[in-house]
Amino acid sequence: KKIIFSGVQPSGQLTLGNYLGALKNWVDLQDDYRCIYSVVDLHAITVRQEPAKLRRQILETYALLLACGVDPQKSLLFIQSQVSTHAELAWILNCYTQFGELSRMTQFKDKSARHADNVNAGLFTYPSLMAADILLYQADLVPVGADQKQHLELSRDIATRMNGLYNNVFTVPEPYIPKAGARVMSLQDPTKKMSKSDENVNAYVAILDKPDDIMRKFKRAVTDSEAKVCRGEGKDGVNNLIGIYAAVTGKTEEQVEAEFEGKGYGDFKAAVGEAVVETLRPVREKFEQYMGDKAFLEQCYREGAEKAYAVSRRTLGKVQRKIGFLSR
Ligand code: TYM
């Protein structure tokens, strides 16, 4: 079986963007691939976190992944900071990653502008830690939203470089970006990516939002004055809603256009809202159940970390040998 790796940060409420761009596909891929998924808390501390809140969010994110359908019987699910090989390989990869390459990362440029008071070294070297995550498991495929494409390119460059220097170190991973849902946009400014850090709560739908809130957010979604449910230039809001509806129903965008031909935006927005509500309802219910069983969660992440360590240690050992370290 081919190997899949992906990660999600435990930063605040995960959104419909995270769900459609990544998590939904994580679940769908479980039967056909060897899947390895992680709550990447080492990445989360590149911006300042409040300890008690971070601790809660890590556990909630872990529970949310289970609630979305990540099945620990089929897939490896662990918390990044509990597996020391990630930080170890990241250091090594840092020494094979150029300052210029990291300087070109658009996410770094955005984030360092937004958090100008804390442009720390971790924020800068974030992509080499991400490369370590992926390369430790010799992953073939990485299911992510479109915003992670540039980071993945860098992971591939680092892997190719190490292979060139030391021969046969890493599998060079391919991105797996879904057709529908790869780039879910803000409901209030559809030229911007939907993000959990948006100060306007109407701009994003959280996976755990209540049905009434989800409906309200879709009803208020920004569209245009043409009143025609079809894709087109200058129709960012409608393009986005069509994409969301296609992703949750599994229909193509052409089918969505046909379904709403001659119908107004009011009907369309309500239909999108309802489809999203029904998709997320079971997730919210299961999330509550998992959060009510802390002992189970603890057992699950402990086992996950142990297995992830065992698998990733093999790659780390190989890299250490190849670059000239003494074996233990
Ligand atoms: P993160 O935590 O920001 O997001 C998790 C996943 O959700 C996707 N995503 C979106 N997809 C579509 N539309 C959106 N509006 C949207 N917002 C987020 C992201 O593309 C991502 O797939 N650096 C990564 C985490 C990471 C990782 C890894 C991923 C660390 N190590 C190794 C893959 C492999 C991140 O910050 O994702």
Side-chain angles (χ1 to χ4, degrees), residues 267-315:
D267 289 348
F268 177 51
K269 288 179 183 180
V272 181
E274 272 157 30
V276 170
V277 165
E278 289 319 315
T279 303
L280 297 181
R281 187 190 302 281
V283 175
R284 201 180 58 252
E285 288 167 3
K286 289 197 199 111
F287 173 77
E288 299 299 341
Q289 286 167 17
Y290 283 118
M291 284 307 286
D293 194 350
K294 298 275 167 15
F296 174 77
L297 289 177
E298 206 170 291
Q299 184 202 337
C300 223
Y301 66 66
R302 288 218 168 113
E303 279 175 17
E306 244 168 68
K307 288 187 203 153
Y309 182 79
V311 178
S312 59
R313 187 71 195 80
R314 291 203 286 272
T315 300

mmCIF file of all heavy atoms in Angstrom, residues 267-315:
data_model
loop_
_atom_site.group_PDB
_atom_site.id
_atom_site.type_symbol
_atom_site.label_atom_id
_atom_site.label_comp_id
_atom_site.label_asym_id
_atom_site.label_seq_id
_atom_site.Cartn_x
_atom_site.Cartn_y
_atom_site.Cartn_z
ATOM 1 N N ASP A 267 -32.762 30.724 -2.253
ATOM 2 C CA ASP A 267 -32.930 29.260 -2.266
ATOM 3 C C ASP A 267 -31.577 28.548 -2.268
ATOM 4 O O ASP A 267 -31.380 27.563 -1.577
ATOM 5 C CB ASP A 267 -33.665 28.811 -3.552
ATOM 6 C CG ASP A 267 -35.124 29.224 -3.521
ATOM 7 O OD1 ASP A 267 -35.603 29.630 -2.437
ATOM 8 O OD2 ASP A 267 -35.774 29.152 -4.591
ATOM 9 N N PHE A 268 -30.690 29.067 -3.094
ATOM 10 C CA PHE A 268 -29.394 28.422 -3.247
ATOM 11 C C PHE A 268 -28.613 28.430 -1.931
ATOM 12 O O PHE A 268 -28.117 27.404 -1.463
ATOM 13 C CB PHE A 268 -28.591 29.129 -4.352
ATOM 14 C CG PHE A 268 -27.212 28.589 -4.549
ATOM 15 C CD1 PHE A 268 -26.991 27.223 -4.726
ATOM 16 C CD2 PHE A 268 -26.115 29.447 -4.540
ATOM 17 C CE1 PHE A 268 -25.708 26.725 -4.901
ATOM 18 C CE2 PHE A 268 -24.834 28.951 -4.716
ATOM 19 C CZ PHE A 268 -24.624 27.594 -4.890
ATOM 20 N N LYS A 269 -28.568 29.604 -1.288
ATOM 21 C CA LYS A 269 -27.817 29.707 -0.034
ATOM 22 C C LYS A 269 -28.407 28.789 1.037
ATOM 23 O O LYS A 269 -27.670 28.165 1.803
ATOM 24 C CB LYS A 269 -27.833 31.143 0.486
ATOM 25 C CG LYS A 269 -26.975 32.101 -0.310
ATOM 26 C CD LYS A 269 -27.134 33.477 0.326
ATOM 27 C CE LYS A 269 -26.385 34.547 -0.423
ATOM 28 N NZ LYS A 269 -26.574 35.840 0.250
ATOM 29 N N ALA A 270 -29.737 28.716 1.076
ATOM 30 C CA ALA A 270 -30.369 27.835 2.076
ATOM 31 C C ALA A 270 -30.003 26.388 1.799
ATOM 32 O O ALA A 270 -29.743 25.612 2.724
ATOM 33 C CB ALA A 270 -31.886 28.032 2.047
ATOM 34 N N ALA A 271 -29.969 26.010 0.512
ATOM 35 C CA ALA A 271 -29.632 24.629 0.163
ATOM 36 C C ALA A 271 -28.182 24.303 0.540
ATOM 37 O O ALA A 271 -27.886 23.218 1.060
ATOM 38 C CB ALA A 271 -29.846 24.389 -1.334
ATOM 39 N N VAL A 272 -27.293 25.252 0.294
ATOM 40 C CA VAL A 272 -25.884 25.027 0.668
ATOM 41 C C VAL A 272 -25.784 24.881 2.186
ATOM 42 O O VAL A 272 -25.157 23.948 2.697
ATOM 43 C CB VAL A 272 -24.972 26.185 0.187
ATOM 44 C CG1 VAL A 272 -23.518 25.913 0.561
ATOM 45 C CG2 VAL A 272 -25.093 26.388 -1.322
ATOM 46 N N GLY A 273 -26.453 25.799 2.897
ATOM 47 C CA GLY A 273 -26.435 25.749 4.363
ATOM 48 C C GLY A 273 -26.929 24.406 4.876
ATOM 49 O O GLY A 273 -26.288 23.778 5.721
ATOM 50 N N GLU A 274 -28.057 23.954 4.346
ATOM 51 C CA GLU A 274 -28.613 22.672 4.818
ATOM 52 C C GLU A 274 -27.681 21.504 4.525
ATOM 53 O O GLU A 274 -27.503 20.617 5.365
ATOM 54 C CB GLU A 274 -29.980 22.423 4.175
ATOM 55 C CG GLU A 274 -31.111 23.033 4.988
ATOM 56 C CD GLU A 274 -32.360 23.306 4.152
ATOM 57 O OE1 GLU A 274 -32.593 22.551 3.172
ATOM 58 O OE2 GLU A 274 -33.077 24.261 4.476
ATOM 59 N N ALA A 275 -27.088 21.502 3.347
ATOM 60 C CA ALA A 275 -26.176 20.402 2.995
ATOM 61 C C ALA A 275 -24.980 20.380 3.948
ATOM 62 O O ALA A 275 -24.534 19.311 4.388
ATOM 63 C CB ALA A 275 -25.712 20.537 1.546
ATOM 64 N N VAL A 276 -24.493 21.570 4.287
ATOM 65 C CA VAL A 276 -23.351 21.634 5.215
ATOM 66 C C VAL A 276 -23.783 21.197 6.610
ATOM 67 O O VAL A 276 -23.090 20.428 7.281
ATOM 68 C CB VAL A 276 -22.739 23.059 5.223
ATOM 69 C CG1 VAL A 276 -21.716 23.209 6.345
ATOM 70 C CG2 VAL A 276 -22.093 23.367 3.871
ATOM 71 N N VAL A 277 -24.945 21.663 7.057
ATOM 72 C CA VAL A 277 -25.454 21.261 8.373
ATOM 73 C C VAL A 277 -25.528 19.733 8.474
ATOM 74 O O VAL A 277 -25.062 19.142 9.444
ATOM 75 C CB VAL A 277 -26.855 21.876 8.645
ATOM 76 C CG1 VAL A 277 -27.548 21.178 9.813
ATOM 77 C CG2 VAL A 277 -26.733 23.369 8.924
ATOM 78 N N GLU A 278 -26.093 19.104 7.445
ATOM 79 C CA GLU A 278 -26.259 17.645 7.508
ATOM 80 C C GLU A 278 -24.920 16.918 7.448
ATOM 81 O O GLU A 278 -24.758 15.858 8.051
ATOM 82 C CB GLU A 278 -27.192 17.150 6.403
ATOM 83 C CG GLU A 278 -28.654 17.545 6.622
ATOM 84 C CD GLU A 278 -29.127 17.416 8.087
ATOM 85 O OE1 GLU A 278 -28.823 16.383 8.742
ATOM 86 O OE2 GLU A 278 -29.769 18.361 8.599
ATOM 87 N N THR A 279 -23.950 17.495 6.744
ATOM 88 C CA THR A 279 -22.618 16.875 6.700
ATOM 89 C C THR A 279 -21.929 16.955 8.053
ATOM 90 O O THR A 279 -21.272 16.009 8.485
ATOM 91 C CB THR A 279 -21.734 17.600 5.649
ATOM 92 O OG1 THR A 279 -22.409 17.529 4.394
ATOM 93 C CG2 THR A 279 -20.373 16.952 5.515
ATOM 94 N N LEU A 280 -22.095 18.085 8.729
ATOM 95 C CA LEU A 280 -21.346 18.303 9.969
ATOM 96 C C LEU A 280 -22.068 17.797 11.219
ATOM 97 O O LEU A 280 -21.439 17.619 12.259
ATOM 98 C CB LEU A 280 -21.006 19.787 10.132
ATOM 99 C CG LEU A 280 -20.087 20.372 9.041
ATOM 100 C CD1 LEU A 280 -19.800 21.842 9.323
ATOM 101 C CD2 LEU A 280 -18.773 19.588 8.934
ATOM 102 N N ARG A 281 -23.372 17.559 11.116
ATOM 103 C CA ARG A 281 -24.133 17.148 12.297
ATOM 104 C C ARG A 281 -23.533 15.905 12.996
ATOM 105 O O ARG A 281 -23.266 15.949 14.200
ATOM 106 C CB ARG A 281 -25.607 16.896 11.927
ATOM 107 C CG ARG A 281 -26.511 16.631 13.121
ATOM 108 C CD ARG A 281 -27.901 16.153 12.702
ATOM 109 N NE ARG A 281 -28.615 17.073 11.816
ATOM 110 C CZ ARG A 281 -29.248 18.186 12.210
ATOM 111 N NH1 ARG A 281 -29.268 18.514 13.480
ATOM 112 N NH2 ARG A 281 -29.869 18.944 11.322
ATOM 113 N N PRO A 282 -23.292 14.817 12.260
ATOM 114 C CA PRO A 282 -22.734 13.645 12.938
ATOM 115 C C PRO A 282 -21.335 13.891 13.515
ATOM 116 O O PRO A 282 -20.973 13.291 14.524
ATOM 117 C CB PRO A 282 -22.677 12.572 11.843
ATOM 118 C CG PRO A 282 -22.869 13.277 10.561
ATOM 119 C CD PRO A 282 -23.583 14.555 10.841
ATOM 120 N N VAL A 283 -20.597 14.786 12.880
ATOM 121 C CA VAL A 283 -19.250 15.081 13.380
ATOM 122 C C VAL A 283 -19.366 15.729 14.764
ATOM 123 O O VAL A 283 -18.665 15.354 15.706
ATOM 124 C CB VAL A 283 -18.485 16.012 12.413
ATOM 125 C CG1 VAL A 283 -17.136 16.407 12.998
ATOM 126 C CG2 VAL A 283 -18.312 15.348 11.056
ATOM 127 N N ARG A 284 -20.274 16.699 14.878
ATOM 128 C CA ARG A 284 -20.435 17.383 16.170
ATOM 129 C C ARG A 284 -20.885 16.410 17.245
ATOM 130 O O ARG A 284 -20.398 16.433 18.369
ATOM 131 C CB ARG A 284 -21.411 18.551 16.035
ATOM 132 C CG ARG A 284 -21.231 19.584 17.143
ATOM 133 C CD ARG A 284 -22.174 20.760 17.035
ATOM 134 N NE ARG A 284 -23.557 20.344 17.058
ATOM 135 C CZ ARG A 284 -24.365 20.352 16.012
ATOM 136 N NH1 ARG A 284 -23.915 20.768 14.845
ATOM 137 N NH2 ARG A 284 -25.606 19.956 16.113
ATOM 138 N N GLU A 285 -21.810 15.537 16.885
ATOM 139 C CA GLU A 285 -22.304 14.579 17.878
ATOM 140 C C GLU A 285 -21.197 13.647 18.349
ATOM 141 O O GLU A 285 -21.037 13.402 19.543
ATOM 142 C CB GLU A 285 -23.480 13.782 17.294
ATOM 143 C CG GLU A 285 -24.730 14.651 17.181
ATOM 144 C CD GLU A 285 -25.846 14.016 16.328
ATOM 145 O OE1 GLU A 285 -25.670 12.868 15.863
ATOM 146 O OE2 GLU A 285 -26.871 14.702 16.142
ATOM 147 N N LYS A 286 -20.437 13.125 17.409
ATOM 148 C CA LYS A 286 -19.349 12.215 17.796
ATOM 149 C C LYS A 286 -18.260 12.933 18.584
ATOM 150 O O LYS A 286 -17.663 12.360 19.494
ATOM 151 C CB LYS A 286 -18.735 11.546 16.557
ATOM 152 C CG LYS A 286 -19.665 10.540 15.929
ATOM 153 C CD LYS A 286 -18.903 9.627 14.985
ATOM 154 C CE LYS A 286 -19.859 8.939 14.029
ATOM 155 N NZ LYS A 286 -19.710 9.407 12.633
ATOM 156 N N PHE A 287 -18.034 14.199 18.228
ATOM 157 C CA PHE A 287 -17.034 14.972 18.971
ATOM 158 C C PHE A 287 -17.401 15.024 20.456
ATOM 159 O O PHE A 287 -16.564 14.799 21.325
ATOM 160 C CB PHE A 287 -16.938 16.386 18.394
ATOM 161 C CG PHE A 287 -16.063 17.312 19.200
ATOM 162 C CD1 PHE A 287 -14.687 17.225 19.107
ATOM 163 C CD2 PHE A 287 -16.621 18.265 20.048
ATOM 164 C CE1 PHE A 287 -13.872 18.075 19.866
ATOM 165 C CE2 PHE A 287 -15.821 19.101 20.802
ATOM 166 C CZ PHE A 287 -14.450 19.012 20.706
ATOM 167 N N GLU A 288 -18.667 15.293 20.743
ATOM 168 C CA GLU A 288 -19.106 15.355 22.144
ATOM 169 C C GLU A 288 -18.855 14.014 22.839
ATOM 170 O O GLU A 288 -18.408 13.963 23.975
ATOM 171 C CB GLU A 288 -20.603 15.719 22.243
ATOM 172 C CG GLU A 288 -20.976 17.076 21.648
ATOM 173 C CD GLU A 288 -20.269 18.254 22.324
ATOM 174 O OE1 GLU A 288 -19.775 18.096 23.453
ATOM 175 O OE2 GLU A 288 -20.203 19.332 21.677
ATOM 176 N N GLN A 289 -19.164 12.924 22.144
ATOM 177 C CA GLN A 289 -18.939 11.596 22.735
ATOM 178 C C GLN A 289 -17.461 11.371 23.057
ATOM 179 O O GLN A 289 -17.117 10.948 24.162
ATOM 180 C CB GLN A 289 -19.404 10.491 21.784
ATOM 181 C CG GLN A 289 -20.921 10.352 21.695
ATOM 182 C CD GLN A 289 -21.326 9.463 20.516
ATOM 183 O OE1 GLN A 289 -20.509 8.712 19.970
ATOM 184 N NE2 GLN A 289 -22.583 9.554 20.117
ATOM 185 N N TYR A 290 -16.595 11.670 22.095
ATOM 186 C CA TYR A 290 -15.151 11.443 22.336
ATOM 187 C C TYR A 290 -14.637 12.315 23.470
ATOM 188 O O TYR A 290 -13.843 11.868 24.298
ATOM 189 C CB TYR A 290 -14.340 11.688 21.065
ATOM 190 C CG TYR A 290 -14.433 10.556 20.071
ATOM 191 C CD1 TYR A 290 -14.982 10.744 18.806
ATOM 192 C CD2 TYR A 290 -13.965 9.279 20.412
ATOM 193 C CE1 TYR A 290 -15.058 9.706 17.896
ATOM 194 C CE2 TYR A 290 -14.047 8.232 19.509
ATOM 195 C CZ TYR A 290 -14.593 8.451 18.250
ATOM 196 O OH TYR A 290 -14.674 7.418 17.362
ATOM 197 N N MET A 291 -15.090 13.568 23.515
ATOM 198 C CA MET A 291 -14.600 14.457 24.576
ATOM 199 C C MET A 291 -15.076 13.992 25.945
ATOM 200 O O MET A 291 -14.479 14.322 26.961
ATOM 201 C CB MET A 291 -15.049 15.909 24.312
ATOM 202 C CG MET A 291 -14.270 16.607 23.219
ATOM 203 S SD MET A 291 -12.467 16.575 23.425
ATOM 204 C CE MET A 291 -12.246 17.760 24.757
ATOM 205 N N GLY A 292 -16.156 13.219 25.970
ATOM 206 C CA GLY A 292 -16.658 12.675 27.226
ATOM 207 C C GLY A 292 -15.895 11.428 27.679
ATOM 208 O O GLY A 292 -16.162 10.893 28.751
ATOM 209 N N ASP A 293 -14.967 10.959 26.882
ATOM 210 C CA ASP A 293 -14.224 9.747 27.233
ATOM 211 C C ASP A 293 -12.713 10.009 27.168
ATOM 212 O O ASP A 293 -12.019 9.548 26.269
ATOM 213 C CB ASP A 293 -14.632 8.605 26.280
ATOM 214 C CG ASP A 293 -14.159 7.241 26.780
ATOM 215 O OD1 ASP A 293 -13.365 7.194 27.750
ATOM 216 O OD2 ASP A 293 -14.572 6.226 26.191
ATOM 217 N N LYS A 294 -12.245 10.753 28.152
ATOM 218 C CA LYS A 294 -10.840 11.177 28.164
ATOM 219 C C LYS A 294 -9.885 9.982 28.240
ATOM 220 O O LYS A 294 -8.800 10.003 27.665
ATOM 221 C CB LYS A 294 -10.577 12.126 29.342
ATOM 222 C CG LYS A 294 -11.370 13.421 29.295
ATOM 223 C CD LYS A 294 -10.675 14.454 28.450
ATOM 224 C CE LYS A 294 -11.475 15.669 28.061
ATOM 225 N NZ LYS A 294 -12.713 16.024 28.705
ATOM 226 N N ALA A 295 -10.320 8.945 28.964
ATOM 227 C CA ALA A 295 -9.445 7.767 29.114
ATOM 228 C C ALA A 295 -9.183 7.134 27.748
ATOM 229 O O ALA A 295 -8.065 6.741 27.432
ATOM 230 C CB ALA A 295 -10.078 6.755 30.062
ATOM 231 N N PHE A 296 -10.231 7.061 26.937
ATOM 232 C CA PHE A 296 -10.073 6.499 25.599
ATOM 233 C C PHE A 296 -9.134 7.358 24.745
ATOM 234 O O PHE A 296 -8.228 6.855 24.073
ATOM 235 C CB PHE A 296 -11.430 6.353 24.902
ATOM 236 C CG PHE A 296 -11.306 5.921 23.465
ATOM 237 C CD1 PHE A 296 -11.038 4.601 23.145
ATOM 238 C CD2 PHE A 296 -11.417 6.847 22.434
ATOM 239 C CE1 PHE A 296 -10.893 4.199 21.818
ATOM 240 C CE2 PHE A 296 -11.276 6.461 21.103
ATOM 241 C CZ PHE A 296 -11.014 5.131 20.802
ATOM 242 N N LEU A 297 -9.354 8.675 24.794
ATOM 243 C CA LEU A 297 -8.504 9.579 24.009
ATOM 244 C C LEU A 297 -7.034 9.400 24.384
ATOM 245 O O LEU A 297 -6.155 9.306 23.538
ATOM 246 C CB LEU A 297 -8.919 11.038 24.238
ATOM 247 C CG LEU A 297 -10.251 11.485 23.643
ATOM 248 C CD1 LEU A 297 -10.545 12.940 24.031
ATOM 249 C CD2 LEU A 297 -10.232 11.357 22.125
ATOM 250 N N GLU A 298 -6.810 9.331 25.705
ATOM 251 C CA GLU A 298 -5.442 9.216 26.199
ATOM 252 C C GLU A 298 -4.788 7.919 25.715
ATOM 253 O O GLU A 298 -3.648 7.911 25.254
ATOM 254 C CB GLU A 298 -5.477 9.241 27.718
ATOM 255 C CG GLU A 298 -4.210 9.736 28.348
ATOM 256 C CD GLU A 298 -4.412 9.965 29.844
ATOM 257 O OE1 GLU A 298 -5.157 10.909 30.215
ATOM 258 O OE2 GLU A 298 -3.864 9.179 30.625
ATOM 259 N N GLN A 299 -5.528 6.845 25.808
ATOM 260 C CA GLN A 299 -5.010 5.550 25.364
ATOM 261 C C GLN A 299 -4.680 5.605 23.868
ATOM 262 O O GLN A 299 -3.650 5.111 23.410
ATOM 263 C CB GLN A 299 -6.063 4.482 25.644
ATOM 264 C CG GLN A 299 -5.600 3.070 25.320
ATOM 265 C CD GLN A 299 -6.806 2.156 25.100
ATOM 266 O OE1 GLN A 299 -7.915 2.424 25.579
ATOM 267 N NE2 GLN A 299 -6.592 1.085 24.355
ATOM 268 N N CYS A 300 -5.587 6.254 23.127
ATOM 269 C CA CYS A 300 -5.445 6.353 21.688
ATOM 270 C C CYS A 300 -4.198 7.144 21.297
ATOM 271 O O CYS A 300 -3.408 6.726 20.461
ATOM 272 C CB CYS A 300 -6.688 7.066 21.182
ATOM 273 S SG CYS A 300 -7.375 6.390 19.744
ATOM 274 N N TYR A 301 -3.998 8.320 21.893
ATOM 275 C CA TYR A 301 -2.838 9.109 21.463
ATOM 276 C C TYR A 301 -1.535 8.525 21.972
ATOM 277 O O TYR A 301 -0.493 8.682 21.329
ATOM 278 C CB TYR A 301 -2.998 10.608 21.723
ATOM 279 C CG TYR A 301 -3.071 11.122 23.139
ATOM 280 C CD1 TYR A 301 -1.984 11.020 24.002
ATOM 281 C CD2 TYR A 301 -4.204 11.771 23.601
ATOM 282 C CE1 TYR A 301 -2.041 11.540 25.293
ATOM 283 C CE2 TYR A 301 -4.273 12.290 24.880
ATOM 284 C CZ TYR A 301 -3.195 12.170 25.730
ATOM 285 O OH TYR A 301 -3.263 12.686 27.000
ATOM 286 N N ARG A 302 -1.588 7.840 23.116
ATOM 287 C CA ARG A 302 -0.360 7.167 23.591
ATOM 288 C C ARG A 302 0.059 6.074 22.621
ATOM 289 O O ARG A 302 1.231 5.982 22.246
ATOM 290 C CB ARG A 302 -0.600 6.537 24.960
ATOM 291 C CG ARG A 302 -0.713 7.552 26.053
ATOM 292 C CD ARG A 302 -0.047 7.060 27.344
ATOM 293 N NE ARG A 302 0.066 8.170 28.261
ATOM 294 C CZ ARG A 302 -0.611 8.253 29.409
ATOM 295 N NH1 ARG A 302 -1.407 7.264 29.784
ATOM 296 N NH2 ARG A 302 -0.464 9.300 30.178
ATOM 297 N N GLU A 303 -0.885 5.244 22.245
ATOM 298 C CA GLU A 303 -0.564 4.164 21.294
ATOM 299 C C GLU A 303 -0.091 4.740 19.966
ATOM 300 O O GLU A 303 0.857 4.239 19.360
ATOM 301 C CB GLU A 303 -1.790 3.275 21.055
ATOM 302 C CG GLU A 303 -1.999 2.252 22.153
ATOM 303 C CD GLU A 303 -3.284 1.445 21.965
ATOM 304 O OE1 GLU A 303 -3.845 1.432 20.840
ATOM 305 O OE2 GLU A 303 -3.734 0.849 22.959
ATOM 306 N N GLY A 304 -0.772 5.789 19.518
ATOM 307 C CA GLY A 304 -0.406 6.434 18.254
ATOM 308 C C GLY A 304 1.034 6.916 18.292
ATOM 309 O O GLY A 304 1.807 6.693 17.354
ATOM 310 N N ALA A 305 1.408 7.560 19.391
ATOM 311 C CA ALA A 305 2.768 8.109 19.503
ATOM 312 C C ALA A 305 3.808 6.992 19.505
ATOM 313 O O ALA A 305 4.867 7.113 18.883
ATOM 314 C CB ALA A 305 2.885 8.952 20.772
ATOM 315 N N GLU A 306 3.497 5.912 20.190
ATOM 316 C CA GLU A 306 4.446 4.792 20.243
ATOM 317 C C GLU A 306 4.690 4.200 18.857
ATOM 318 O O GLU A 306 5.824 3.967 18.450
ATOM 319 C CB GLU A 306 3.881 3.694 21.135
ATOM 320 C CG GLU A 306 4.701 3.422 22.372
ATOM 321 C CD GLU A 306 3.935 2.540 23.332
ATOM 322 O OE1 GLU A 306 3.718 1.362 22.996
ATOM 323 O OE2 GLU A 306 3.533 3.053 24.404
ATOM 324 N N LYS A 307 3.599 3.977 18.153
ATOM 325 C CA LYS A 307 3.728 3.396 16.803
ATOM 326 C C LYS A 307 4.442 4.375 15.868
ATOM 327 O O LYS A 307 5.311 3.971 15.090
ATOM 328 C CB LYS A 307 2.352 3.069 16.227
ATOM 329 C CG LYS A 307 1.698 1.864 16.891
ATOM 330 C CD LYS A 307 0.421 1.502 16.130
ATOM 331 C CE LYS A 307 -0.538 0.727 17.019
ATOM 332 N NZ LYS A 307 -1.945 0.897 16.621
ATOM 333 N N ALA A 308 4.071 5.639 15.936
ATOM 334 C CA ALA A 308 4.690 6.634 15.050
ATOM 335 C C ALA A 308 6.189 6.713 15.332
ATOM 336 O O ALA A 308 7.003 6.837 14.412
ATOM 337 C CB ALA A 308 4.037 8.000 15.241
ATOM 338 N N TYR A 309 6.552 6.621 16.606
ATOM 339 C CA TYR A 309 7.974 6.663 16.945
ATOM 340 C C TYR A 309 8.702 5.485 16.300
ATOM 341 O O TYR A 309 9.755 5.655 15.673
ATOM 342 C CB TYR A 309 8.181 6.653 18.464
ATOM 343 C CG TYR A 309 9.638 6.744 18.822
ATOM 344 C CD1 TYR A 309 10.295 7.973 18.787
ATOM 345 C CD2 TYR A 309 10.382 5.606 19.132
ATOM 346 C CE1 TYR A 309 11.657 8.073 19.055
ATOM 347 C CE2 TYR A 309 11.746 5.691 19.401
ATOM 348 C CZ TYR A 309 12.368 6.927 19.368
ATOM 349 O OH TYR A 309 13.716 7.017 19.619
ATOM 350 N N ALA A 310 8.123 4.303 16.444
ATOM 351 C CA ALA A 310 8.778 3.104 15.920
ATOM 352 C C ALA A 310 8.984 3.213 14.403
ATOM 353 O O ALA A 310 10.063 2.897 13.887
ATOM 354 C CB ALA A 310 7.961 1.862 16.271
ATOM 355 N N VAL A 311 7.972 3.675 13.701
ATOM 356 C CA VAL A 311 8.079 3.776 12.241
ATOM 357 C C VAL A 311 9.092 4.859 11.847
ATOM 358 O O VAL A 311 9.975 4.651 11.015
ATOM 359 C CB VAL A 311 6.707 4.114 11.605
ATOM 360 C CG1 VAL A 311 6.827 4.280 10.095
ATOM 361 C CG2 VAL A 311 5.677 3.030 11.945
ATOM 362 N N SER A 312 8.978 6.036 12.479
ATOM 363 C CA SER A 312 9.796 7.175 12.053
ATOM 364 C C SER A 312 11.255 7.009 12.470
ATOM 365 O O SER A 312 12.152 7.525 11.815
ATOM 366 C CB SER A 312 9.229 8.471 12.629
ATOM 367 O OG SER A 312 9.208 8.410 14.039
ATOM 368 N N ARG A 313 11.490 6.259 13.543
ATOM 369 C CA ARG A 313 12.860 6.027 14.011
ATOM 370 C C ARG A 313 13.706 5.340 12.931
ATOM 371 O O ARG A 313 14.907 5.596 12.830
ATOM 372 C CB ARG A 313 12.824 5.180 15.297
ATOM 373 C CG ARG A 313 14.166 5.019 15.972
ATOM 374 C CD ARG A 313 14.609 6.328 16.620
ATOM 375 N NE ARG A 313 16.027 6.346 16.988
ATOM 376 C CZ ARG A 313 17.048 6.572 16.164
ATOM 377 N NH1 ARG A 313 16.832 6.808 14.886
ATOM 378 N NH2 ARG A 313 18.283 6.562 16.579
ATOM 379 N N ARG A 314 13.073 4.497 12.157
ATOM 380 C CA ARG A 314 13.818 3.805 11.091
ATOM 381 C C ARG A 314 14.382 4.800 10.088
ATOM 382 O O ARG A 314 15.542 4.720 9.699
ATOM 383 C CB ARG A 314 12.903 2.800 10.369
ATOM 384 C CG ARG A 314 12.505 1.606 11.230
ATOM 385 C CD ARG A 314 12.117 0.419 10.376
ATOM 386 N NE ARG A 314 10.809 0.578 9.734
ATOM 387 C CZ ARG A 314 9.648 0.226 10.303
ATOM 388 N NH1 ARG A 314 9.627 -0.297 11.513
ATOM 389 N NH2 ARG A 314 8.522 0.403 9.664
ATOM 390 N N THR A 315 13.537 5.741 9.661
ATOM 391 C CA THR A 315 14.018 6.745 8.703
ATOM 392 C C THR A 315 15.070 7.642 9.340
ATOM 393 O O THR A 315 16.097 7.940 8.737
ATOM 394 C CB THR A 315 12.852 7.614 8.186
ATOM 395 O OG1 THR A 315 11.903 6.763 7.551
ATOM 396 C CG2 THR A 315 13.335 8.665 7.196
#
